[in-house]
């Protein structure tokens, strides 16, 4: 072989150190995590308010989401369109999203316009007007969005998965709500939800930009000092009664692929097992060369791609395998997924673990390149209540994980009570499941047994 | 603004490979980005999707890189990687810690020079089935997923290089043989048909020496002439109705326009932002905000090396007819065409474009891909500033004019409507 054509070696491992993360808490309880980054004249921030759908889900599914849709429909005397034009004229990118835990305001502004951008943001958060005319429109928009769920196999599969693994828990219901629950929401419900949940002590900011932390703190103080803390703490009931069934099907006869979700509630994020789980998942389904993708895609051609993850909400976490396969390979794909899970009982190899550690270690600096990456990393610190030196001790913690620790996680995953959700043309694959001894439980799009 | 003025060197190796180097030492990273000047526009009917399938084969290993190891070597080095295929070109890219620079250069050179002997039936059949699943996942099993394919097939003239989708038709993908793949490689993957960008924390002369070390020995060969494409207009309106598994009807209007970077390309893009780029944009305000007859509306100018089109897409609310959406859309176009737009509207759009340009400079891989992009379309990698000025020089009157032009064009109308149960 031509010597040129052998793999080059990598010499001199690079050292990576993240810049200082500044932390501040104001008297009203509002917290800030800030990182100064000078590369471009930009400031990016995520403003989190812990008022996500978990607070509405068991009473009024969809209320948090609709509140978020209404929050910028007029504020501080500016109309919906005036507010929107205000951000656009500054060239500021402004978005609002809702998840199970939070309503999140994301803003990316030129540094020269950050003051004016924050002023507009403060109107939206502190002085929403909730006009009735806009309410009817936003409610209808959400209802139509829920109607469109029926078109989208991925959304159906995700929604059923949450319901099946979380059952009656507050994480079981969709952020969008259901059409019957959203129909009943009144403007007064939204005002009440806002008044009860938009509180300074339930909020934090994660930001990165090319201004100093002091300049940033001053702006936040100027615009958010009147943000009030809550009078009392809300405690949500935290119980889980898993179903004893295993395979759930939503029949979508016109489908040409089957959307597959498989997983279980694997627990909250914690420092003890996080790194072992992360390494395990890297080997099992977290990247292109994982066991799952090598099997289902590169060996068998059943799918364009398959992946797995340990996903973390604020108060819980789950393990999820996710893929879509052509209909005739539905059963073969499930068989291979279960087979890969079963094989985890034998643990992982030293080579696999070394590959996972090396790859994650060397890739680490790539996670801190953009303003978006920086703010989302700072957000994770606050959401999961991680120590401020978390990123600078990350590699030490990752590399300290032993193969035994990974293998005990592997064994746990292998023996977990994995639920399987299939969204597709049931008639074309049901027999194969039945023949092989599986019971198929048919569910509707809410995940309820039919 | 110096932020948009990027320094670079361009060298052409003896085998014709174009090499562009750009130094940015803000982080210890390097981005490697190759464009091959071949996309689905270079295919022929009956073999559609070959450029994209070929992109998949490029990840199946080469003479000195076993199957699945291409990904593994980059990941082991701490990098990320991928490739993509469009009408005009195919790109491959990696981003890694800068001390690993030799790994992607070695891998890219191995598949540029030593791919053919590593190809076999098993790999081909495997990737055909992966690509068919990609097609099912991204198009056939998506609501409204076949719209793009129907539009390009019917809007562009027969045999126009954009008259089939890049993913390819299913029966074509199924028909590919090893011979098709080999001859595609031998036609288009010559070093003389590619441009390599290396950007990041690099020493330029050392990097050029490394590039020579790995790429110099790869021989070049002749590549076919680019496809012919003439500008065209429709002689009459085209109407297509397609029934799909969807809850709500959706309207698509497609007007033939201009190619990338041709006069009026930027004007059409600005028009699209004025029509649908913000909450208070013309179409959004009328259809979604005020009258609430549409769930969404969007407009965009799509343009490439061989053609372009302006599209407007809108989904009807339950109980609303597509004809009503269409009528209101044309009323709004007429209003822009006869009364023009305000300076404030234009300022909003300009400021948004400026912010997007700045934000796009955050990623090294994005910068590397842009250098290749400008080099391909404009023959000048450092065109960031020129490109912003292209948008900033557009005046309200120009937007009015292109809207007038649009209104006087014949167009294609596609209605995607719910299947009756």
């Amino acid at each position: 072989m031509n010597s040129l054509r052998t793999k080059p070696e990598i010499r001199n491992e690079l050292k990576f150190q993240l810049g200082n993360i500044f932390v501040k808490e104001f008297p009203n309880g509002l917290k800030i995590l800030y990182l100064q980054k000078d590369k471009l004249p930009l400031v990016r921030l995520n403003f989190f308010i812990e008022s996500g759908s978990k607070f509405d889900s068991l009473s009024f599914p969809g209320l948090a989401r609709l509140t978020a849709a209404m929050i910028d429909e007029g504020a501080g005397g500016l109309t919906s369109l005036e507010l929107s034009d205000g951000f656009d004229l500054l060239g500021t990118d402004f978005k609002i999203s809702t998840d199970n835990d939070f309503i999140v305001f994301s803003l990316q502004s030129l540094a020269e316009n950050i003051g004016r951008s924050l002023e507009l943001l403060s109107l939206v958060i502190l002085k929403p007007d909730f006009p009735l005319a806009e309410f009817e429109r936003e409610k209808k928009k959400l209802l139509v969005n829920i109607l469109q769920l029926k078109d989208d196999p991925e959304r159906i599969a995700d929604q059923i998965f949450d319901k099946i693994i979380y059952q009656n828990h507050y994480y079981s219901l969709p952020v969008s709500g259901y059409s019957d629950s959203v129909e009943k929401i009144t403007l007064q419900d939204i005002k009440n939800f806002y008044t009860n949940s938009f509180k300074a002590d339930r909020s934090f900011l994660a930001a990165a930009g090319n201004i100093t932390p002091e300049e940033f703190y001053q702006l936040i103080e100027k615009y958010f000092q009147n943000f009030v803390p809550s009078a009392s703490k809300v405690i949500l009931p935290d119980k889980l009664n898993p179903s004893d069934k295993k395979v759930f099907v939503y029949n979508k006869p016109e489908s040409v692929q089957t959307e597959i979700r498989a997983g279980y509630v694997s627990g909250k994020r914690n420092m003890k097992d996080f790194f072992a789980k992360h390494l395990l998942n890297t080997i099992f389904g977290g990247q292109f060369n994982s066991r799952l993708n090598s099997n289902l895609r590169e060996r068998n051609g059943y799918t364009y791609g398959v992946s797995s993850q340990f996903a973390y909400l604020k108060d819980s976490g789950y393990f999820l395998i996710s893929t879509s396969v052509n209909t005739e390979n539905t059963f073969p794909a499930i068989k291979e997924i279960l087979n890969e899970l079963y094989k985890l009982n034998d643990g992982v190899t030293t080579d696999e673990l070394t590959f996972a550690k090396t790859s994650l270690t060397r890739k680490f600096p790539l996670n801190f390149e953009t303003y978006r990456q920086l703010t989302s990393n700072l957000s994770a610190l606050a959401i999961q209540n991680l120590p401020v030196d978390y990123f600078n001790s990350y590699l030490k913690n990752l590399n300290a994980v032993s193969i035994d620790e990974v293998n005990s996680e592997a064994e746990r995953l292998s023996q977990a009570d994995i639920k399987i959700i299939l969204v597709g043309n049931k008639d074309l694959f049901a027999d194969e499941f039945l023949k092989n001894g599986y019971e198929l439980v048919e569910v509707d799009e809410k995940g309820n047994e039919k | 603004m110096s932020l948009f003025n990027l320094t670079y060197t361009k060298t052409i190796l003896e085998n014709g490979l174009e090499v562009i180097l750009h130094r940015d030492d803000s982080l210890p990273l390097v981005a490697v980005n190759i464009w091959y000047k071949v996309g689905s526009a270079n295919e022929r009917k009956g073999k559609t999707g070959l450029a994209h399938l070929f992109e998949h084969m490029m990840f199946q290993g080469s003479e000195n890189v076993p199957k699945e190891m291409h990904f593994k070597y980059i990941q082991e080095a701490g990098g990320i990687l991928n490739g993509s295929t469009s009408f005009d070109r195919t790109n491959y890219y990696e981003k890694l810690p800068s001390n690993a620079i030799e790994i992607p250069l070695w891998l890219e050179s191995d598949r540029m020079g030593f791919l053919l002997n590593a190809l076999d039936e098993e790999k081909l059949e495997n990737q055909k089935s992966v690509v068919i699943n990609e097609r099912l996942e991204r198009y056939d099993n998506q609501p409204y997923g076949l719209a793009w394919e129907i539009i390009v097939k019917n809007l562009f003239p027969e045999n126009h290089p954009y008259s089939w989708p890049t993913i390819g038709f299913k029966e074509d993908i199924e028909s590919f043989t090893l011979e098709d793949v080999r001859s595609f490689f031998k036609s288009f993957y010559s070093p003389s048909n590619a441009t390599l960008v290396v950007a990041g924390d690099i020493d330029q002369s050392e990097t050029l020496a490394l590039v020579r070390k790995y790429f110099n020995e790869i021989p070049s060969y002749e590549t076919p002439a680019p496809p012919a494409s003439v500008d065209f207009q429709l002689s009459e309106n085209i109407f297509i109705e397609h029934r799909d598994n969807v809850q709500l009807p959706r309207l698509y209007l497609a007007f033939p326009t201009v190619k990338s970077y041709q006069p009026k390309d930027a004007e059409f893009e600005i028009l699209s932002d004025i029509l649908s780029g913000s909450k208070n944009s013309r179409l959004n305000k009328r259809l979604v905000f005020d009258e609430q007859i549409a769930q969404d509306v969007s407009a965009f100018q799509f343009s490439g090396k061989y053609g372009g089109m302006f599209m407007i897409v809108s989904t009807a609310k339950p109980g609303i007819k597509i004809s009503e959406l269409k009528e209101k859309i044309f009323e709004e176009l007429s209003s822009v065409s006869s009364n023009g737009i305000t300076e404030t509207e234009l300022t909003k759009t300009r400021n948004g474009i400026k912010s997007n340009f700045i934000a796009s400079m955050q990623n090294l891989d994005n910068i590397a891909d842009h250098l290749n992009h400008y080099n391909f379309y404009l023959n000048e990698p450092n065109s960031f500033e020129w490109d912003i000025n292209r948008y900033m020089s557009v005046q309200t009157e120009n937007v009015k004019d292109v809207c007038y032009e649009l209104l006087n064009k014949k167009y294609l109308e596609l209605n995607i409507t719910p299947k009756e149960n």
Side-chain angles (χ1 to χ4, degrees):
Chain A
M1 194 196 288
N2 176 343
S3 70
L4 260 189
R5 307 260 55 105
T6 53
K7 186 177 163 243
E9 292 303 314
I10 298 172
R11 290 177 204 94
N12 311 326
E13 294 295 327
L14 294 176
K15 285 264 174 285
F16 175 79
Q17 194 75 15
L18 184 64
N20 261 339
I21 297 171
F22 294 89
V23 184
K24 167 129 184 135
E25 186 169 340
F26 287 107
N28 60 6
L30 176 62
K31 280 182 285 298
I32 299 181
L33 282 88
Y34 185 79
L35 199 124
Q36 184 168 349
K37 179 169 170 90
D38 288 331
K39 184 171 184 187
L40 294 169
L42 289 177
V43 179
R44 186 177 177 91
L45 63 89
N46 295 333
F47 198 120
F48 286 80
I49 299 179
E50 196 172 353
S51 57
S53 66
K54 64 185 174 188
F55 298 102
D56 73 29
S57 67
L58 301 176
S59 47
F60 270 122
L63 180 55
R65 164 83 186 264
L66 194 52
T67 304
M70 277 303 292
I71 196 90
D72 66 337
E73 291 298 316
L78 298 179
T79 66
S80 170
L81 296 179
E82 284 166 348
L83 277 169
S84 160
D85 282 349
F87 284 115
D88 289 341
L89 274 166
L90 298 170
T92 298
D93 188 32
F94 174 61
K95 291 200 172 59
I96 305 171
S97 62
T98 314
D99 62 29
N100 296 90
D101 295 308
F102 299 98
I103 293 178
V104 190
F105 300 81
S106 310
L107 189 148
Q108 183 168 288
S109 167
L110 297 180
E112 64 193 70
N113 294 331
I114 184 65
R116 181 71 190 128
S117 297
L118 282 170
E119 187 182 354
L120 288 171
L121 178 66
S122 74
L123 295 181
V124 170
I125 291 177
L126 302 181
K127 296 185 171 150
D129 294 328
F130 296 122
L132 184 61
E134 321 294 9
F135 174 65
E136 292 306 326
R137 184 191 57 247
E138 291 306 313
K139 180 166 160 176
K140 193 165 143 201
K141 214 192 268 178
L142 180 55
L143 285 168
V144 174
N145 180 287
I146 294 167
L147 175 71
Q148 288 182 302
L149 167 96
K150 291 205 175 85
D151 295 343
D152 187 342
E154 295 174 34
R155 267 179 77 189
I156 297 173
D158 290 339
Q159 176 165 314
I160 295 173
F161 178 78
D162 289 348
K163 173 68 184 174
I164 296 299
I165 65 162
Y166 279 111
Q167 292 297 322
N168 303 318
H169 189 271
Y170 55 82
Y171 281 143
S172 68
L173 303 185
V175 175
S176 308
Y178 300 125
S179 45
D180 46 4
S181 68
V182 171
E183 281 289 0
K184 289 188 205 119
I185 297 173
T186 66
L187 188 56
Q188 193 55 48
D189 295 328
I190 288 188
K191 288 177 181 168
N192 295 343
F193 187 78
Y194 169 81
T195 310
N196 295 331
S197 64
F198 273 56
K199 299 293 180 195
D201 58 325
R202 288 166 70 161
S203 307
F204 64 86
L205 271 139
N210 79 331
I211 60 176
T212 65
E214 291 73 25
E215 287 170 309
F216 187 70
Y217 295 160
Q218 276 165 22
L219 286 167
I220 297 303
E221 185 164 22
K222 178 169 171 195
Y223 294 115
F224 291 93
Q225 60 183 338
N226 294 329
F227 197 13
V228 293
S230 22
S232 60
K233 207 171 151 56
V234 187
I235 293 162
L236 294 167
D238 199 5
K239 53 170 192 278
L240 202 59
N241 309 306
S243 156
D244 55 355
K245 306 283 177 46
K246 186 165 182 73
V247 189
F248 302 82
V249 190
Y250 176 85
N251 190 21
K252 204 167 185 301
E254 68 280 7
S255 289
V256 290
Q257 272 196 323
T258 303
E259 203 58 52
I260 296 174
R261 299 290 180 275
Y264 79 112
V265 177
S266 53
K268 238 178 110 129
R269 176 159 170 168
N270 68 67
M271 292 297 275
K272 250 194 275 160
D273 63 15
F274 173 81
F275 290 96
K277 280 179 168 160
H278 189 40
L279 286 162
L280 171 64
N281 187 60
T282 303
I283 294 164
F284 185 69
Q287 38 87 35
F288 191 88
N289 289 97
S290 67
R291 289 183 177 193
L292 279 178
N293 200 56
S294 297
N295 180 336
L296 270 74
R297 173 178 154 133
E298 291 299 293
R299 209 153 50 239
N300 283 305
Y302 294 156
T303 176
Y304 179 48
V306 53
S307 64
S308 70
Q309 56 175 313
F310 283 97
Y312 297 101
L313 299 159
K314 190 168 186 294
D315 318 318
S316 178
Y318 56 86
F319 175 77
L320 167 66
I321 297 168
S322 164
T323 186
S324 59
V325 303
N326 49 334
T327 306
E328 58 270 31
N329 282 323
T330 306
F331 182 75
I334 292 296
K335 209 174 126 195
E336 288 307 320
I337 289 172
L338 293 175
N339 193 25
E340 289 296 343
L341 282 165
Y342 177 75
K343 277 177 16 198
L344 283 178
N345 242 330
D346 302 333
V348 303
T349 66
T350 320
D351 279 356
E352 285 177 312
L353 184 59
T354 308
F355 169 76
K357 282 183 176 177
T358 312
S359 161
L360 291 172
T361 301
R362 289 177 171 161
K363 195 177 288 177
F364 192 63
L366 269 67
N367 299 327
F368 302 92
E369 192 185 4
T370 66
Y371 290 82
R372 180 192 292 273
Q373 286 175 313
L374 291 171
T375 47
S376 77
N377 282 325
L378 296 192
S379 303
L381 290 188
I383 294 170
Q384 302 295 342
N385 210 9
L386 301 168
V388 181
D389 72 343
Y390 176 75
F391 292 114
N392 283 331
S393 52
Y394 186 97
L395 293 179
K396 198 181 73 202
N397 288 327
L398 181 84
N399 285 294
V401 176
S402 69
I403 193 160
D404 290 344
E405 288 170 297
V406 174
N407 284 340
S408 75
E409 289 302 333
E411 196 184 318
R412 189 167 309 152
L413 180 55
S414 177
Q415 291 161 11
D417 179 19
I418 298 282
K419 307 294 184 195
I420 295 167
I421 286 87
L422 307 170
V423 175
N425 190 349
K426 181 182 159 228
D427 290 351
L428 295 185
F429 57 70
D431 281 352
E432 228 175 330
F433 279 87
L434 299 178
K435 238 175 22 211
N436 284 280
Y438 290 89
E439 182 198 356
L440 292 183
V441 184
E442 197 163 342
V443 293
D444 62 16
E445 76 262 18
K446 292 182 176 179
N448 292 322
E449 279 187 44
K450 275 182 135 174
Chain B
M1 260 191 277
S2 62
L3 189 58
F4 298 118
N5 187 14
L6 271 59
T7 56
Y8 71 93
T9 61
K10 194 198 263 196
T11 313
I12 296 176
L13 304 193
E14 270 166 43
N15 57 16
L17 177 68
E18 223 178 352
V19 181
I20 295 168
L21 305 179
H22 164 65
R23 181 172 162 78
D24 173 348
D25 61 0
S26 52
L27 285 169
L29 301 177
V30 63
V32 171
N33 182 296
I34 294 198
W35 278 38
Y36 289 91
K37 294 166 194 161
V38 55
S40 59
N42 303 78
E43 295 161 355
R44 53 192 175 78
K45 286 208 168 148
K47 295 287 176 194
T48 67
L50 187 50
H52 171 256
L53 180 96
F54 191 84
E55 177 215 319
H56 278 247
M57 298 312 292
M58 286 282 276
F59 290 94
Q60 292 297 306
S62 42
E63 243 171 78
N64 306 293
V65 181
K67 180 172 157 87
E68 294 191 49
M69 293 311 276
H70 186 100
F71 262 87
K72 196 154 186 186
Y73 289 151
I74 294 287
Q75 303 211 58
E76 199 176 47
I80 55 171
L81 69 159
N82 215 334
S84 74
T85 311
S86 72
F87 281 142
D88 294 351
R89 54 77 185 142
T90 310
N91 71 355
Y92 301 89
Y93 49 93
E94 297 86 27
K95 181 166 67 179
L96 314 87
S98 50
N99 62 335
I101 184 171
E102 280 198 67
I103 305 274
L105 294 176
W106 169 68
L107 285 167
E108 289 297 359
S109 68
D110 211 64
R111 59 184 178 182
M112 182 188 279
F114 310 92
L115 182 84
L116 284 190
N117 290 338
L119 292 178
D120 62 35
E121 286 290 345
E122 197 184 334
K123 288 177 179 178
L124 176 63
E125 289 311 312
N126 167 252
Q127 288 306 305
K128 275 160 72 172
S129 130
V130 168
V131 168
I132 284 167
N133 263 301
E134 177 179 358
R135 195 194 138 92
L136 294 176
E137 180 178 329
R138 294 168 69 163
Y139 304 94
D140 301 278
N141 211 36
Q142 286 292 330
Y144 313 99
L146 293 177
W148 178 260
E149 174 170 320
I150 296 170
I151 290 167
V152 297
K153 203 167 136 185
N154 291 285
L155 178 78
F156 291 102
E158 177 131 26
N159 293 321
H160 186 284
Y162 290 173
S163 62
W164 54 86
T166 299
I167 187 78
F169 297 113
K170 191 170 175 222
E171 54 284 11
D172 290 359
I173 302 170
E174 279 164 348
S175 79
F176 294 139
T177 64
L178 214 45
E179 198 34 51
D180 290 328
V181 175
R182 286 207 181 100
S183 78
F184 190 84
F185 180 80
K186 286 192 278 190
S187 304
F188 295 108
Y189 274 70
S190 168
S192 55
N193 205 35
T195 306
L196 168 70
V197 170
V198 184
D201 189 7
I202 56 168
D203 176 292
Q204 303 211 18
S205 62
E206 271 173 35
T207 304
L208 190 59
L210 285 174
V211 170
R212 287 190 194 281
K213 171 175 156 190
Y214 288 108
F215 288 87
N216 257 355
E217 65 170 315
I218 302 169
S220 66
Y221 43 86
E222 224 177 297
T223 49
S229 75
V230 283
D231 288 328
F232 70 96
Q233 296 297 336
L234 299 177
S235 52
E236 54 195 83
N237 290 342
I238 299 170
F239 177 80
I240 302 163
E241 180 166 15
H242 173 78
R243 296 200 176 265
D244 198 357
N245 302 301
V246 294
Q247 307 297 314
L248 299 170
R250 186 176 283 177
L251 165 71
Y252 297 79
L253 296 166
F255 306 79
T257 56
V258 297
K259 298 169 183 166
S260 289
Y261 300 103
Q262 295 299 302
K264 295 179 194 162
D265 183 34
E267 285 82 345
F268 278 119
E269 241 180 273
I270 289 184
L271 175 64
S272 73
D273 193 67
I274 301 282
L275 291 175
S276 72
S278 61
K279 204 188 251 185
N280 201 10
S281 58
R282 299 287 178 113
L283 293 177
N284 194 69
K285 179 171 188 302
R286 176 87 185 267
L287 275 61
V288 180
F289 195 86
D290 287 341
E291 299 191 7
Q292 300 169 37
I293 55 176
Q295 179 71 358
D296 52 59
V297 61
S298 65
F300 60 92
Q301 156 77 354
F302 165 81
S303 60
K305 193 171 176 185
Y306 304 107
M309 61 175 162
F310 191 89
M311 278 198 32
I312 300 174
V313 186
S314 185
T315 312
K317 289 265 199 221
I320 301 294
K321 289 203 167 60
I322 282 186
S323 55
E324 189 180 347
L325 296 183
K326 186 180 162 189
E327 190 190 321
K328 306 285 165 75
I329 288 170
F330 274 94
E331 278 176 26
E332 287 304 314
L333 291 177
S334 299
S335 152
V336 172
S337 158
S338 31
N339 309 322
I341 60 166
T342 65
E343 281 297 334
T344 313
E345 283 177 292
L346 188 60
T347 307
K348 261 189 351 187
T349 296
R350 281 182 178 163
N351 290 351
I353 291 172
K354 227 186 287 175
S355 289
N356 284 340
F357 261 94
I358 293 177
S360 76
M361 309 301 275
Q362 297 181 71
N363 298 48
L364 191 60
D365 38 349
N366 191 42
I367 290 174
D369 196 59
H370 254 78
L371 289 166
N372 241 331
H373 172 98
Y374 287 137
N375 186 60
F376 179 79
Y377 288 102
L378 302 165
N379 201 30
E380 171 53 66
N382 180 27
S383 293
F384 296 88
E385 207 159 319
W386 178 88
D387 198 14
I388 297 185
N389 288 334
R390 189 170 69 105
Y391 295 103
M392 295 308 132
S393 62
V394 173
Q395 305 298 323
T396 54
E397 202 58 28
N398 307 129
V399 179
K400 182 181 166 185
D401 290 347
V402 292
C403 192
Y404 176 83
E405 196 182 314
L406 208 61
L407 264 179
N408 288 286
K409 276 180 198 283
K410 302 289 182 206
Y411 57 86
L412 175 147
E413 175 181 350
L414 166 66
N415 293 351
I416 294 190
T417 51
K419 275 184 187 160
E420 282 149 33
N421 291 329

